[in-house]
Each structure stands twice: as structure tokens, then as C-alpha cells.
Amino acid sequence: MVIKVFVATSSGSTAIKKKQQEVVGFLEANKIDFQQMDIAGDEDNRKWMRENVPGEKKPQNGIPLPPQIFNEERYCGDFESFFSAKEENIIYSFLGLAPPPGIKENEKSDATDKNEAHTEDKADEGSHEGAHEEAHSAQSPSEDQQWDVYVTGRVLDPVETKQKWILCLEIGIQLLYFSCCSDTLAFKDGFILMLQCQEEEENQEEGEEKQEEGEENEEVEEQEES
């Protein structure tokens, strides 16, 4: 089994160069056989690396950055995974290699496993609680919807809601205008006049709609007779 380290020898990124040097230097210092696969000067290497890095390890743009480490065709991980394995002293397990004689790697203790399981249980409970709260908030009507039900007997659709807020804005502007009048009687008369005009406009619109509907019915009847 051969360890393959995919690198970009001509990378302009200082961070990528340092990561590559750290991986290669560690393997050389520990006398671990590996092949350095250059993706900068070899299109086949670049294509193979991108196709074989698992989807969950790829960034949002879908292009994984070097260094990427493989054991033959089995994916081992990226630099972050390599660094974590080195810190936890499980680098040979990470690379899929048997440790040399005299070297013993750390193993996860039962306490660590229990802590991880407890953390996962708490995360699951949190997700269930969040889903329950979202469902409850989706079922509970907002204050605006409660007011709509109180006034109209039902929840308004988005178009009606928009018209309601436009009307409220118009009334608020007109009330502000009338409130500037020093004469209280003028304010009262003006407000009543505004409501009457609004009612007349609504009645006029309703009459026009009925008239248009009647004209359409007449046209249909004429077509049927002919």
C-alpha cells in the first residue's frame, strides 16, 4: 500500500505551501513511504484527486484544495484531518497503515465514547425541541392574524394583508394632517369626511365590478342566441 499526497508544487498560496510541507516533512521524518502527486503540472492527477475526494470533504465550490492524502485509492483525509490524527497520536490508523514495532497508538477510552454519545443525545434532543417550537410557532397565529380574525372573521391572504397596510398608512397620513388643525371640530369633520369618501370609493368600485359582470353576461347570452 502506497500513501499518495496530492500537492500543488507551484501554488501561490503561502498557507497551502506550509500545509504541504508539514505533511511531507512528517512523512519523511517518520520514514513513511509515500508518493508526491503534483496537481499543478499534471492534469490527470488534478482530475483524479477532485473525483475521488468525498463530497462532504469538498468546499462549497466543489474544488478540494491540496494537500489531500490517499492510501492507494482509499481516501484518508485533508490537512485538518491529518493534523487532528497527528495530535491524537493515531496517524497510522488515519493512513490505514499498521504502526511499526515499538510504536503504540492511542485508543479512544470508554469515557470518551460515553461523552461523545452523551453529546450526540443532547444534540438530538435540541433538534427535536427546535422542531417542536417551530411547529408550535407555525400553528399559533400572530397578533396581526388574531386581529384580522377578530375584525373580518378569517385570516387575510398576502394580497389582502398588503392592501390593509396600505390603507392603514393612508389613514395615518390623513390623521396626521387633520391633527395639525387647531380647531377640534375641523378635525372631527375632516375625519368623518375622509371615511365617507372612502366608503363612496368602495361602493363605486363594487358597482363597477357588478356592471362589468353584467356586461359580460349579456355578451355571453347574445353569443348563445346567435
Side-chain angles (χ1 to χ4, degrees):
M1 293 184 291
V2 179
I3 301 301
K4 297 179 180 179
V5 182
F6 287 81
V7 299
T9 55
S10 60
S11 174
S13 171
T14 303
I16 290 178
K17 287 181 178 180
K18 288 182 177 180
K19 292 177 180 179
Q20 293 176 164
Q21 291 171 358
E22 184 171 344
V23 173
V24 171
F26 178 86
L27 296 176
E28 290 177 343
N30 287 272
K31 298 180 179 180
I32 299 175
D33 294 334
F34 71 95
Q35 289 181 356
Q36 189 167 302
M37 315 294 288
D38 184 21
I39 66 171
D42 193 317
E43 179 65 26
D44 292 336
N45 287 342
R46 179 165 60 250
K47 183 178 179 181
W48 191 94
M49 184 196 76
R50 292 181 178 180
E51 291 177 351
N52 288 275
V53 171
E56 64 272 11
K57 286 293 185 178
K58 292 181 180 179
Q60 292 182 351
N61 61 8
I63 302 176
L65 298 176
Q68 299 288 339
I69 305 168
F70 289 80
N71 184 334
E72 295 291 351
E73 297 183 356
R74 185 182 72 84
Y75 182 69
C76 298
D78 55 9
F79 175 78
E80 284 71 23
S81 302
F82 165 83
F83 183 81
S84 298
K86 187 177 68 170
E87 292 296 309
E88 297 173 10
N89 193 25
I90 54 172
I91 191 66
Y92 288 96
S93 297
F94 167 77
L95 296 173
L97 300 175
I103 295 180
K104 184 178 181 181
E105 292 191 330
N106 292 335
E107 296 180 357
K108 292 185 178 180
S109 64
D110 294 338
T112 304
D113 293 338
K114 290 179 180 179
N115 289 335
E116 291 180 353
H118 180 65
T119 304
E120 292 177 357
D121 292 340
K122 290 184 68 177
D124 292 339
E125 291 177 1
S127 62
H128 290 319
E129 290 177 359
H132 177 71
E133 290 177 359
E134 291 179 358
H136 179 70
S137 60
Q139 295 174 358
S140 301
S142 63
E143 293 183 0
D144 290 336
Q145 291 176 335
Q146 292 176 3
W147 176 253
D148 294 339
V149 173
Y150 176 76
V151 175
T152 64
R154 62 184 178 85
V155 177
L156 302 180
D157 60 35
V159 176
E160 294 173 328
T161 302
K162 182 179 180 180
Q163 294 174 347
K164 177 190 72 174
W165 286 114
I166 293 174
L167 178 61
C168 290
L169 180 61
E170 293 176 351
I171 293 176
I173 294 173
Q174 295 181 27
L175 285 175
L176 180 63
Y177 169 77
F178 288 127
S179 65
C180 296
C181 300
S182 58
D183 188 358
T184 305
L185 182 60
F187 169 75
K188 180 179 179 182
D189 292 343
F191 181 65
I192 294 174
L193 178 61
M194 179 195 68
L195 295 178
Q196 290 176 346
C197 292
Q198 180 183 341
E199 185 177 358
E200 289 178 0
E201 289 178 359
E202 291 178 353
N203 293 335
Q204 183 177 359
E205 290 178 357
E206 185 177 355
E208 291 176 354
E209 290 178 357
K210 290 182 178 180
Q211 183 178 356
E212 291 178 357
E213 185 178 354
E215 291 176 355
E216 290 178 356
N217 292 335
E218 290 180 359
E219 291 179 0
V220 172
E221 292 176 357
E222 290 177 358
Q223 291 178 359
E224 289 178 351
E225 291 178 355
S226 62

